[in-house]
Amino acid sequence: MDQATVKRRTEAAKNKALAELRRNRLEDQMTGRIRAAWAQLDVATDECIRLGTLVQQMPEYDVTRESFQRDLQLEQAKAMGKAEILAIIMPAPLNTPKAISEEAGRRWQARQK
């Protein structure tokens, strides 16, 4: 084998190894971002449950109930937005906002145990 062939093969092997390292690093970063997105959805779910429970416990004539209901609607909208984003990047069967929301509910139940 001549010097040029050895150099070409060495360069190809180096490029392949570097590409694999970059791919692994990107996968690790994406996995971390997905975990962070689920954690944000967990926080939003917790807040929705807390506000929903609070609203249910308040008397209907309480003037602050309406404020808490608005807060609940806002948190629900945030949670749905997070679910829609996760649905874009998650594989089936968690590839719809409804499936993500249901999973968020299961995760909440698991945290309560």
Side-chain angles (χ1 to χ4, degrees):
M1 201 178 319
D2 66 353
Q3 190 75 15
T5 302
V6 170
K7 186 175 181 180
R8 191 176 60 251
R9 287 183 179 176
T10 302
E11 187 68 23
K14 180 184 90 173
N15 288 340
K16 183 179 177 182
L18 289 173
E20 183 69 19
L21 286 172
R22 281 190 298 273
R23 187 181 67 76
N24 289 340
R25 186 174 42 227
L26 288 173
E27 284 178 0
D28 289 344
Q29 288 174 352
M30 188 59 152
T31 301
R33 289 178 180 152
I34 290 170
R35 281 192 190 114
W38 276 105
Q40 288 181 5
L41 181 56
D42 288 342
V43 169
T45 301
D46 290 345
E47 187 63 6
C48 287
I49 303 264
R50 184 188 73 79
L51 287 169
T53 302
L54 189 61
V55 166
Q56 286 178 347
Q57 293 172 349
M58 296 177 94
E60 285 200 34
Y61 55 84
D62 192 329
V63 291
T64 58
R65 181 181 173 141
E66 191 174 307
S67 174
F68 282 108
Q69 284 176 322
R70 281 193 303 271
D71 291 345
L72 174 59
Q73 289 171 341
L74 177 63
E75 283 301 319
Q76 287 171 331
K78 288 179 184 179
M80 184 51 73
K82 293 173 192 318
E84 288 173 356
I85 295 298
L86 276 166
I88 292 170
I89 58 177
M90 292 298 293
L94 295 175
N95 57 353
T96 66
K98 183 178 188 285
I100 295 289
S101 296
E102 289 169 355
E103 180 63 18
R106 285 188 288 275
R107 289 167 63 97
W108 182 84
Q109 289 288 339
R111 286 193 308 277
Q112 302 314 301
K113 293 180 181 177

